[in-house]
Amino acid sequence: MQHSTLWWLMAGAMVAAELVTGTFYLLMLAVGLAAGALAAHAGLPITAQLVVASCVGVAGVFACHQLRRRRMAAAQPAASNRDVNLDVGETVQVGAWNADGTAQVRYRGAQWTVVLRNGPAGAATALPGTYRVVEVVGNRLVVDAAA
């Protein structure tokens, strides 16, 4: 059996393992194995095939890891992400603010505590009216003035 055939069989097995586990990193290792097969087709010695396969596989895994890390860093926190928390972006009607910068509102059939985004410092200037939910922290709605 030729070296290229073995490389293709290993690449296929790695793709199958990726399909079973759902790990994208295994797919990058399969790309590395396919690069080893192409190196075998090019007639490179087995040592060069191993180096090509390992370099391409490791580079693919590293690139995936970096991409995933950038996406995670750029991701919005769940408390203020509209895709995770459907309360974000909704409006509430505040009748009166307390001296401590909180208010009680009726929202979705329950009593909620509302706080301003800029904290108690903004309570002195807070007026009754319509506010937009920007974040949910525990059982408190963090709001900003509705535009």
Side-chain angles (χ1 to χ4, degrees), residues 1-140:
M1 192 177 296
Q2 293 192 3
H3 290 290
S4 61
T5 305
L6 291 173
W7 284 110
W8 288 118
L9 288 173
M10 288 188 294
M14 194 66 70
V15 169
E18 190 276 331
L19 289 173
V20 170
T21 63
T23 305
F24 198 72
Y25 295 110
L26 290 178
L27 192 58
M28 293 299 103
L29 292 177
V31 168
L33 292 170
L38 294 174
H41 282 296
L44 296 175
I46 189 67
T47 307
Q49 295 172 28
L50 288 169
V51 169
V52 167
S54 62
C55 287
V56 171
V58 168
V61 169
F62 182 73
C64 285
H65 181 70
Q66 291 295 85
L67 183 64
R68 181 179 174 148
R69 197 167 75 177
R70 280 194 200 129
R71 283 187 185 163
M72 294 299 281
Q76 196 175 14
S80 60
N81 188 344
R82 174 88 173 144
D83 295 333
V84 176
N85 195 332
L86 296 179
D87 293 322
V88 173
E90 296 298 317
T91 57
V92 293
Q93 195 67 26
V94 177
W97 288 95
N98 300 327
D100 63 353
T102 64
Q104 297 294 317
V105 297
R106 192 110 176 115
Y107 175 67
R108 291 191 305 146
Q111 219 35 41
W112 287 77
T113 300
V114 174
V115 295
L116 282 172
R117 178 190 278 189
N118 53 1
T125 60
L127 300 172
T130 304
Y131 289 83
R132 185 165 312 283
V133 177
V134 293
E135 189 175 359
V136 179
V137 179
N139 61 350
R140 291 179 172 231

